[in-house]
């Protein structure tokens, strides 16, 4: 149990003026715990070293469950909690054994940025969000370095972030940012069907029905066919989807 400061913490059977670390970290408001991890410097650490390690492990397990379960559960705040706990733990150990004047909350900010960067594979936008959210512009350099290193280490372990991995497993039409190497060798004519099935701007219903029944394509170019004396020439006028037709 630690001494209550400004009403922070859940008492949970502790003597008056003290709060339970485990209940505060796991059952209390995560936003308040994150603020304490990143800002509190007096009169002492908001959580002990043992509970920082235990909290990071518990939130990591909950993060895996929330990511895999078919429930509307986010992973942003758990990532911040895991990174904040691990960073604060490193800062507390440095403060204890290396330099007593170290502010361990700075390590919590850098740890949260590194965790988010490794999970989401974001760099520039993440650095801006962390600096604006914590109002710590003077920590920009360590935050940038932590985000870059975490991104590189995570990319070496897995080429894509958790969001892209999740999209790839869902039954959704999803195109990657970079095509496969064989796709770079193909031309448009290699993947097109011949002859091109198109619709006239003024098409009859029977022609449209016959076209839909005769193929399984999902897109048809709409062209303005030229006059008979200019056979073979047409002007593109858009395209229609099968569902729209």
């Amino acid at each position: 149990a630690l001494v209550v400061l400004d009403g922070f913490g859940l008492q949970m059977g502790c003597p008056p003026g003290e709060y339970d670390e485990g209940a505060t970290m796991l059952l209390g408001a995560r936003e308040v715990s994150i603020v304490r991890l990143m800002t509190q410097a007096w009169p002492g650490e908001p959580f002990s070293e043992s509970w920082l390690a235990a909290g990071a492990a518990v939130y990591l397990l909950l993060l895996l469950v929330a990511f895999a379960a078919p429930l509307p559960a986010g992973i942003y705040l758990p990532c911040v909690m895991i990174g904040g706990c691990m960073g604060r733990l490193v800062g507390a150990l440095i403060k204890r054994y290396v330099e007593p004047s170290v502010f361990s909350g700075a390590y919590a900010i850098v740890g949260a940025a590194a965790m988010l960067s490794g999970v989401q594979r974001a760099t520039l936008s993440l650095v801006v969000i962390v600096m604006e959210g914590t109002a710590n512009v003077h920590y920009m350099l360590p935050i940038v370095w932590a985000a870059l290193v975490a991104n590189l280490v995570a990319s070496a372990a897995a080429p894509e972030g958790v969001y892209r991995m999740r999209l790839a497993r869902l039954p959704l039409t999803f195109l990657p940012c970079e095509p496969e190497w064989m796709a770079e060798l193909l031309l448009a004519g290699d993947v097109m069907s011949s002859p091109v099935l198109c619709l006239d701007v003024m098409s009859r219903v029977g022609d449209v029905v016959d076209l839909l029944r005769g193929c399984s394509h999902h897109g048809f170019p709409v062209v303005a066919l030229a006059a008979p004396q200019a056979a073979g020439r047409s002007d593109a006028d858009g395209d229609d989807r099968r569902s729209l037709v």
Side-chain angles (χ1 to χ4, degrees):
L2 298 178
V3 179
V4 175
L5 179 64
D6 297 332
F8 170 69
L10 300 178
Q11 188 174 0
M12 296 293 291
C14 293
E18 298 181 357
Y19 66 90
D20 187 280
E21 300 176 70
T24 303
M25 180 175 292
L26 302 179
L27 303 179
R30 286 178 295 181
E31 296 84 355
V32 180
S33 298
I34 291 172
V35 171
R36 292 289 180 169
L37 284 173
M38 298 182 178
T39 60
Q40 182 170 325
W42 182 88
E45 299 290 331
F47 300 102
S48 62
E49 298 167 5
S50 58
W51 266 111
L52 288 173
V58 171
Y59 272 102
L60 179 59
L61 178 62
L62 295 177
L63 173 64
L64 298 177
V65 174
F67 178 72
L71 299 173
I75 64 174
Y76 187 86
L77 282 183
C79 287
V80 176
M81 279 294 298
I82 296 171
C85 288
M86 295 303 296
R88 186 92 191 196
L89 176 60
V90 172
L93 294 176
I94 294 176
K95 185 176 182 178
R96 177 190 292 267
Y97 297 107
V98 180
E99 179 57 51
S101 62
V102 165
F103 173 49
S104 53
Y107 291 84
I109 298 174
V110 175
M115 184 67 186
L116 288 172
S117 178
V119 172
Q120 301 181 358
R121 306 300 169 82
T123 51
L124 181 59
S125 60
L126 176 63
V127 170
V128 174
I129 292 173
V130 171
M131 287 193 303
E132 290 186 354
T134 59
N136 283 298
V137 182
H138 45 285
Y139 294 146
M140 181 179 69
L141 187 59
I143 291 174
V144 170
W145 275 108
L148 290 176
V149 172
N151 200 334
L152 291 175
V153 172
S155 298
E160 296 180 345
V162 294
Y163 295 126
R164 290 189 175 276
M165 294 171 60
R166 184 65 172 173
L167 283 175
R169 296 183 180 181
L170 294 177
L172 300 174
T173 302
F174 175 71
L175 294 177
C177 296
E178 297 293 336
E180 297 184 2
W181 67 272
M182 293 188 62
E184 298 180 356
L185 305 177
L186 299 176
L187 302 176
D190 298 329
V191 296
M192 291 175 57
S193 62
S194 180
V196 178
L197 302 179
C198 57
L199 291 172
D200 190 4
V201 175
M202 302 296 294
S203 298
R204 296 181 302 174
V205 175
D207 296 337
V208 174
V209 173
D210 293 339
L211 180 63
L212 294 177
R213 289 177 176 175
C215 69
S216 59
H217 298 172
H218 291 279
F220 304 93
V222 178
V223 297
L225 297 179
Q229 61 270 22
R233 298 180 56 189
S234 62
D235 297 326
D237 198 53
D239 68 286
D240 274 340
R241 297 292 180 181
R242 170 179 284 267
S243 59
L244 180 60
V245 174

